[in-house]
Amino acid sequence: MKKGFRYAIYATVIFLLASCSSTKYVPDGAYLLDEVRIQTDNKEIKPSSLSVYVRQNPNSKWFSLIKTQLYVYNWSGRDSTRWINRTLRRLGDAPVIYSETETGRTSEEMTKAVQNMGYMGAMVEPVRQVRKKKMKLTYKVTAGKPYKVRTLKYDIRDSKIEEYLQQDSASTLLSEGMYFDVNTLDSERQRITSHLLQNGYYKFNKDYISYTADTVRNTYLVDLTLHLSPYRLPNEEKTQNHRQYTINKVNFITDYNVLESSALSSVEVNDSLHYRGFPIYYKDKLYLRPKVLTNNLRITPGSLFNEQDVQRTYSNFGRLQALKYTNIRFFETQQGDSAKLNAYVLLTKSKHQSISFEVEGTNSAGDLGAAASVAFQHRNLFKGSEAFMIKLRGAYEAVSGLQGSGAHNQNYTELGAETTINFPRFMFPFLSNDFKRRIRATTEFGLQYSYQMRPEFTRIVASAGWSYKWGVQRQRSQHRIDLLDINYLYMPWIDPTFKENYLEKDENYILQYNYDDRLIVRTGYSYTYNSTGQALMNNAVMGNSYTIRVNFESAGNLLYAVAKMGRMKKNDNGEYTLLSIPFAQYLKGDFDFAKNIVIDNRNSLAFHFGAGIAVPYGNATIIPFEKRYFSGGANSVRGWSVRDLGPGSFPGDDNFLNQSGDIKLDMSIEYRTRLFWKFRGAVFVDAGNIWTLRDYKDQPGGKFKFNEFYKQIAVAYGLGLRMDLDFFVLRFDGGMKAINPVYKKGKDRYPVFHPDFGRDFAFHFAVGYPF
């Protein structure tokens, strides 16, 4: 620990020395842009909203504190032919030299932005503070008095469009008395355009909408008029009312290759059919059933053109794994005085069959092993874009430190198989076709089988599932219903020595329960909301975002009701059985919230809160092992190893099953920063623990009590290094215990003040961010 403290002092001295030479490469007569601030005299104008207009920012800081990369650059020598100097400059950032030109452009753009908010007399003044060769720059924003809309008028000479706008007047963003905000005016143009695109105006765009603003002399009032320009034919001076288009015909072309040519005339088709009035053109063989095409179509012949229907059609066909691309094109056709559109849905076929191989290394509590799998996938099994997958897996692991077993074979072997079939529709009887079309759910059926051979026992785990999932609101919300999930645990053999010395020695009920045959028949619902939708998450560039997850499940209720009504007999443990197999019964609920706050383009602050409770009842007094909570590890309180914390103040007894619980609480705050290249850094503080609902003799101190639980919350702190490779993130976290709930008082309870690296440190390697 003394060595670590000494190294920390050395690092601090190095950074201080580097800071003294931060202007090493600043030319004479120039200045290092050291700091940029924005000050406003109006609380309604937030500096954060104007920061995007700053053309020149100072060198970035790690954790918003240290300009590390500038210091790395300054460590380089002036001889650029030496590799060490070139390397340091490549890893570091060159000093940002103050530019008067960029300051002038920033002032102009910032002034315009504030004026667009309605403060027409706004001014932005750059204030410079120079000390030696460093400059601190402050943009002082004087907003002045805002202009407000006194009167609002509409100049619309198209009676049909005027009628549409009157019907939708409650949604308008404009009103008398509002600030003369140019951004709001532009949003209203876009809102009107979107509304008209949903009502047949195929060629309409927001450039047809303009404004006239007359200021009233010697006041801060504006008379605002919204104008609608008539439609003008290309290369003609004559104007006319905007045309309202009706869908005429919808055609499908299923073998369109977007990479070869964009012209429809070059598409190779040699056959066609008509299904419910829809022409379908294809080459050689139609690979999708006609009903699949029409069920996913939202563009209806005879109806007005609607841009939302077009986007829904794109979304529906995008869910079909049998397709690679979807394009929709419209061609105008005139029939008398009516304007009509012929639609062509152009589909590009994906590769339907594939085989994949996967090899992985495993590490289970220090026991090393390897696993391999082979999977076959068919993305169009029954010509309805049904995705079928079958996977075979094998694993081997050398087991060490095994106690209580007389077995000579100290290895773990697993052989498994799983298969799923995914239908891109809501498959359930008694539901109307309209409901199924409105909720674009995916139905999945799955089977899994695993044969596990350990030195102390042999276990078979089999499961079957029937579930639905769907998304709404541009995929921000995700729903999943596990209608039926059956899990069967069968223990065909247990080593007699292990059973005598480990399971029966201390009459540990938790151990015995989880080594018995067990049946779990559950249903569940989960909901996830992500404010970024399908956008890729990148903490360095994305705006503020948050995620909410809620999960609820229950098991055994129907079986328990049948057993009660049928007056079935109980086994020796007082449990009802199905085919001599006891079944679990419980309720479980989880809540998880995570929020990311962007500070600047290199730094962000992330919060996380998670809680869960599982209640056994009826036919069970313990939650099955797979459904119990564990604490510690890479995604929990990182000062403890995985499954090494709790429950409550229980110190543990080298048996991870005893360090499990029915209640879980997790809280974290993490400051994230971009270091260099693909590397990211983090400083974090975690808190949490698990508890049991009952007072088990094998888990003393583990029961949840309202007047004590807050004293049993463990706290950890630490540093993290992450390598962001875009497709996935490699994470290395080192956590130190800060408050240890095992001890009620004394220095051992607060290792943050008396740290011991060997006792309090835990290292974690994981893939992906913790939250």
Side-chain angles (χ1 to χ4, degrees), residues 418-431:
E418 65 175 292
T419 181
T420 61
I421 184 166
N422 191 301
F423 296 87
R425 55 190 180 275
F426 205 133
M427 297 183 64
F428 194 82
F430 316 119
L431 295 178

Side-chain angles (χ1 to χ4, degrees), residues 345-405:
V345 181
L346 312 174
L347 307 175
T348 303
K349 179 182 177 182
S350 69
K351 187 178 180 180
H352 288 172
Q353 300 183 46
S354 64
I355 297 178
S356 61
F357 299 90
E358 195 174 280
V359 179
E360 60 185 283
T362 62
N363 184 346
S364 300
D367 295 336
L368 301 180
S373 63
V374 57
F376 168 77
Q377 188 170 23
H378 197 303
R379 298 176 180 84
N380 193 30
L381 188 63
F382 304 123
K383 292 187 177 182
S385 194
E386 301 88 357
F388 171 79
M389 186 275 293
I390 184 169
K391 183 177 183 179
L392 303 176
R393 184 178 186 272
Y396 174 86
E397 189 175 281
V399 180
S400 62
L402 186 65
Q403 300 177 355
S405 174

Side-chain angles (χ1 to χ4, degrees), residues 252-309:
F252 292 96
I253 298 179
T254 62
D255 291 275
Y256 176 71
N257 191 337
V258 68
L259 301 178
E260 290 183 358
S261 175
S262 60
L264 293 183
S265 58
S266 63
V267 178
E268 294 186 25
V269 295
N270 53 26
D271 207 344
S272 65
L273 60 84
H274 281 69
Y275 180 78
R276 295 183 178 179
F278 294 96
I280 302 174
Y281 302 93
Y282 56 93
K283 180 183 178 182
D284 300 333
K285 187 177 181 181
L286 184 61
Y287 56 88
L288 284 172
R289 297 195 304 273
K291 186 177 180 180
V292 175
L293 302 177
T294 57
N295 279 351
N296 286 283
L297 183 69
R298 289 295 173 271
I299 306 169
T300 308
S303 65
L304 291 174
F305 169 83
N306 189 330
E307 179 64 25
Q308 281 191 352
D309 290 342

Side-chain angles (χ1 to χ4, degrees), residues 115-406:
Q115 290 175 347
N116 286 343
M117 297 177 188
Y119 301 89
M120 305 299 292
M123 294 184 298
V124 176
E125 179 187 3
V127 178
R128 305 162 185 84
Q129 291 179 294
V130 176
R131 185 179 179 183
K132 296 182 179 180
K133 299 180 74 172
K134 296 182 180 180
M135 176 179 289
K136 293 185 177 180
L137 181 61
T138 303
Y139 293 97
K140 290 193 174 182
V141 180
T142 304
K145 191 174 180 179
Y147 281 69
K148 295 184 179 181
V149 175
R150 184 179 71 169
T151 62
L152 176 62
K153 297 180 180 179
Y154 292 86
D155 177 25
I156 300 175
R157 302 178 185 179
D158 187 316
S159 58
K160 186 169 287 188
I161 290 182
E162 183 180 22
E163 183 180 352
Y164 275 115
L165 297 187
Q166 287 178 350
Q167 293 173 353
D168 193 47
S169 60
S171 302
T172 184
L173 304 177
L174 306 182
S175 63
E176 294 180 352
M178 62 172 279
Y179 283 8
F180 183 63
D181 190 330
V182 174
N183 300 313
T184 303
L185 301 186
D186 190 62
S187 297
E188 177 68 5
R189 293 171 67 206
Q190 187 60 55
R191 189 197 67 82
I192 293 174
T193 301
S194 298
H195 183 62
L196 294 179
L197 286 172
Q198 295 172 28
N199 287 277
Y201 291 91
Y202 168 68
K203 292 187 174 182
F204 196 88
N205 62 70
K206 70 176 186 178
D207 292 335
Y208 288 110
I209 302 173
S210 60
Y211 297 96
T212 299
D214 295 325
T215 56
V216 182
R217 182 177 296 179
N218 297 326
T219 68
Y220 289 89
L221 300 175
V222 177
D223 292 329
L224 183 66
T225 304
L226 183 147
H227 302 276
L228 174 69
S229 301
Y231 178 74
R232 178 176 283 109
L233 294 170
N235 303 320
E236 292 187 18
E237 293 295 327
K238 185 179 179 181
T239 62
Q240 62 184 44
N241 286 342
H242 292 270
R243 291 182 178 180
Q244 198 173 21
Y245 288 85
T246 303
I247 301 298
N248 183 38
K249 291 183 179 180
V250 179
N251 309 270
F252 292 96
I253 298 179
T254 62
D255 291 275
Y256 176 71
N257 191 337
V258 68
L259 301 178
E260 290 183 358
S261 175
S262 60
L264 293 183
S265 58
S266 63
V267 178
E268 294 186 25
V269 295
N270 53 26
D271 207 344
S272 65
L273 60 84
H274 281 69
Y275 180 78
R276 295 183 178 179
F278 294 96
I280 302 174
Y281 302 93
Y282 56 93
K283 180 183 178 182
D284 300 333
K285 187 177 181 181
L286 184 61
Y287 56 88
L288 284 172
R289 297 195 304 273
K291 186 177 180 180
V292 175
L293 302 177
T294 57
N295 279 351
N296 286 283
L297 183 69
R298 289 295 173 271
I299 306 169
T300 308
S303 65
L304 291 174
F305 169 83
N306 189 330
E307 179 64 25
Q308 281 191 352
D309 290 342
V310 177
Q311 296 305 318
R312 290 191 185 104
T313 302
Y314 269 118
S315 177
N316 289 348
F317 280 97
R319 295 170 56 249
L320 303 183
Q321 297 188 41
L323 301 176
K324 189 174 184 179
Y325 303 113
T326 303
N327 288 276
I328 302 174
R329 295 188 185 177
F330 293 93
F331 295 90
E332 186 176 356
T333 177
Q334 194 74 24
Q335 294 185 0
D337 294 331
S338 300
K340 294 184 179 293
L341 294 171
N342 287 331
Y344 288 83
V345 181
L346 312 174
L347 307 175
T348 303
K349 179 182 177 182
S350 69
K351 187 178 180 180
H352 288 172
Q353 300 183 46
S354 64
I355 297 178
S356 61
F357 299 90
E358 195 174 280
V359 179
E360 60 185 283
T362 62
N363 184 346
S364 300
D367 295 336
L368 301 180
S373 63
V374 57
F376 168 77
Q377 188 170 23
H378 197 303
R379 298 176 180 84
N380 193 30
L381 188 63
F382 304 123
K383 292 187 177 182
S385 194
E386 301 88 357
F388 171 79
M389 186 275 293
I390 184 169
K391 183 177 183 179
L392 303 176
R393 184 178 186 272
Y396 174 86
E397 189 175 281
V399 180
S400 62
L402 186 65
Q403 300 177 355
S405 174

Side-chain angles (χ1 to χ4, degrees), residues 472-473 475-478 527-533 546-550 592 594:
V472 295
Q473 296 182 14
Q475 302 303 312
R476 287 188 174 93
S477 297
Q478 296 288 333
Y527 169 78
T528 301
Y529 180 84
N530 190 330
S531 62
T532 62
Y546 65 93
T547 302
I548 297 174
R549 297 184 182 91
V550 179
D592 193 274

